[in-house]
Amino acid sequence: QVQLVESGGGLVQAGDSLRLSCTVSGRTFSLYAMGWFRQAPGKEREFVASIRYIGDTTYGADSVKDRFTISRNDAQSTLYLLMNNLKPEDTAVYYCAARYGARHVISQKDVDYWGQGTQVTVSS
């Protein structure tokens, strides 16, 4: 069994930055592609970013590509999401996701394990 625990969320103002972390335990972290999803109130969960191995990343909406950076530290079994220039529309619960194997985790149906989520609230 794999456990994913997110941290780093909070209440910030527009223009601020946050770094989310996701610590993984239970299996060999490097065997998993990792990703971030988010779910805003009243909306469906959406893909944010994925990383297969260091340097191989992909992002969802154009609105995050230039502001968010996904990264991983395999030695520490930790996934990160650095979010810069946050906007009120980034307000959501952010979920860490793991997919066994080498393919990006882009769709919810690809996810093998989920974290419990961390709230990010951006005030205007």
Side-chain angles (χ1 to χ4, degrees):
Q1 190 71 14
V2 177
Q3 292 82 40
L4 286 66
V5 179
E6 300 99 333
S7 61
L11 172 62
V12 297
Q13 294 185 334
D16 286 350
S17 297
L18 273 178
R19 189 179 76 161
L20 305 182
S21 299
C22 173
T23 301
V24 179
S25 61
R27 294 284 174 86
T28 303
F29 180 70
S30 61
L31 295 179
Y32 290 82
M34 301 296 299
W36 289 98
F37 290 75
R38 67 184 181 184
Q39 187 166 17
K43 295 186 177 181
E44 294 187 354
R45 193 172 296 188
E46 67 172 352
F47 167 69
V48 176
S50 172
I51 183 168
R52 295 196 298 164
Y53 45 83
I54 294 174
D56 185 6
T57 61
T58 188
Y59 294 88
D62 289 340
S63 62
V64 307
K65 288 179 181 178
D66 295 329
R67 299 185 295 120
F68 291 8
T69 303
I70 188 172
S71 62
R72 62 189 295 161
N73 185 324
D74 286 359
Q76 297 185 347
S77 298
T78 303
L79 175 73
Y80 301 100
L81 184 68
L82 175 62
M83 304 184 293
N84 293 321
N85 190 23
L86 282 162
K87 303 177 180 181
E89 52 263 41
D90 295 320
T91 295
V93 178
Y94 284 72
Y95 296 90
C96 174
R99 179 183 187 181
Y100 182 80
R103 294 183 179 182
H104 278 297
V105 52
I106 297 175
S107 171
Q108 293 187 58
K109 64 179 177 63
D110 296 330
V111 177
D112 293 315
Y113 301 97
W114 291 99
Q116 83 287 352
T118 185
Q119 177 70 50
V120 172
T121 304
V122 185
S123 63
S124 58

